[in-house]
Amino acid sequence: MSTDPHADRAVHALIDAGGEPWSRVRQLLERRCGELPDASLMELHSSDPQVCAAVPGWCAGRGGVVTAHEERDGAALFWIRTPSSRSEER
């Protein structure tokens, strides 16, 4: 049995942002959201504290959800569910 809590969830996009600033990461996230089907799962890795602070608010503002967050090896990992059509209609 896997110890990974996300092993049963298919990730549609992995964004390894390293230490990129929030302005750059936000652009990457927005582009990927536009390319992916509704309710896709993105995995984001970042070592920039500003990114870590900004992700939850950015998700909430777009209708997405941070489904999980972990700290691992000096980086923050986020699993982000992109908005579905129903959440955009609100």
Side-chain angles (χ1 to χ4, degrees), residues 4-48:
D4 183 351
H6 311 288
D8 62 335
R9 298 180 211 155
V11 172
H12 297 94
L14 171 63
I15 300 169
D16 186 352
E20 291 286 337
W22 171 239
S23 60
R24 172 84 173 113
V25 174
R26 184 183 69 237
Q27 290 173 354
L28 290 169
L29 289 171
E30 289 174 0
R31 187 179 81 228
R32 293 303 285 157
C33 279
E35 297 169 347
L36 294 169
D38 289 353
S40 294
L41 188 63
M42 294 190 296
E43 184 176 334
L44 170 66
H45 300 195
S46 176
S47 59
D48 185 317

Side-chain angles (χ1 to χ4, degrees), residues 3-4 11 18 23-24 29 34 37 39-40 50 52 59 64 66-68 72 75 78 80 84:
T3 59
D4 183 351
V11 172
S23 60
R24 172 84 173 113
L29 289 171
S40 294
Q50 289 181 332
C52 300
C59 286
V66 174
T67 62
R72 191 183 307 163
F78 291 92
I80 301 167
S84 66

